[in-house]
Amino acid sequence: MFRYNLLDHNEVKRFETPYNENFMEVHLEDTSVNPSGNQCWQPVHCIMPSKYRLHADRIRNLPVYEDDVWIVTFPKAGTTWTQEMVWLIDHDLDYNTASSVNLTERSVFLEVGAFVSNIDVPDTITQVEQLKRPRHIKSHLPLALLPKQLWTVKPKIIYTARNPKDVTTSFMHHYKYLHGYEGSQKDFLDGILADKIIYCPQIKHATEFWDVCHREHVLFLHYEDMKRNLAKVIQDVCNFFGKTFTSSQLAELKQHLMFDTMKENKSANNQILVTQFQAALGVPNDFKFMRKGQVGGYKDELPVAFVNKLNDFVRNELHGKEFKYRE
């Protein structure tokens, strides 16, 4: 089903971490289920640690239910924000459960147990299999590595995209503190441009989902729209789920989902993950999983020369495509 191309360790070791080792390209070879409908579809590979090959087939063959809800993003593209919004809308604004049950339990990260090495992590695939329906499932996997039944059973899939410059900035901090990355900023940025960091290629991750967003069970969102017009995005998600709420309920939900509110919400800000990894990875006590959430925050952190290279890279990747990132 998959072909694995183990990368030259001397080439990629500066992009690896003690907990994400021996990077490889994962290529889907079984294209019998074609989500694009295009006979010329060529699945995009994904960079993953070598541990992943022990779990790839199990994830690809994971049973999917029609009432599943899947949140898919490239890392640091608004995943947690989208998870909380979608869970509440799908559960008729059940704030009591949302406050008493952590988001990590309400919306399980499918593959984290399949790629993290040298630290104790649960079998998250089994957790997903045992979730009470309707299951809410989070994944950063690209289209080709996700369960094939997503395209035959057709559960709801929400994909959120974010401008690569801001993704890179946030991912750089995340990679250091929650993946245990010990390299330099330059090495990480080189890895982004080379598409050799875990979950890359980054741009193709978004464009593959853009190419299937015409399907009725797929909703494509932009992080920047959530920042600038959250009320409209909330309404779009409500329409997607066939949900109707009063204006006061929508206003309350919007306030609940404001970034500053989310950042302080212990049930939804993913600080539980920071706490779990704090001792093993030496995460600073003041590190926040949800940091700034800004649009354009990269301007304060990324070297101008890198930004120019990344702009050129994105422009080349999007050449001839209708998809455009928000600025």
Side-chain angles (χ1 to χ4, degrees), residues 182-217:
E182 299 171 345
S184 67
Q185 181 193 64
K186 181 183 183 304
D187 283 343
F188 178 83
L189 298 181
D190 285 348
I192 289 292
L193 290 175
D195 265 337
K196 299 299 185 186
I197 301 293
I198 187 171
Y199 287 117
C200 284
Q202 180 183 174
I203 313 307
K204 290 183 174 68
H205 197 290
T207 57
E208 274 214 310
F209 265 93
W210 177 257
D211 288 341
V212 299
C213 71
H214 62 280
R215 301 189 64 151
E216 291 185 356
H217 69 295

Side-chain angles (χ1 to χ4, degrees), residues 58 112 141 149 164-165 192 200-201 205 266 281 294:
R58 186 179 171 201
V112 66
L141 293 173
Q149 286 189 3
K165 295 187 286 289
I192 289 292
C200 284
H205 197 290
K266 294 181 180 179
L281 302 183
Q294 297 174 339

Side-chain angles (χ1 to χ4, degrees), residues 105-120:
E105 299 176 45
R106 291 182 277 124
S107 186
V108 174
F109 187 0
L110 171 64
E111 71 272 6
V112 66
F115 71 80
V116 176
S117 301
N118 302 321
I119 189 171
D120 288 334

Side-chain angles (χ1 to χ4, degrees), residues 269-283:
N269 63 11
N270 267 345
Q271 280 301 115
I272 190 171
L273 294 178
V274 176
T275 301
Q276 288 172 348
F277 291 147
Q278 215 142 31
L281 302 183
V283 180

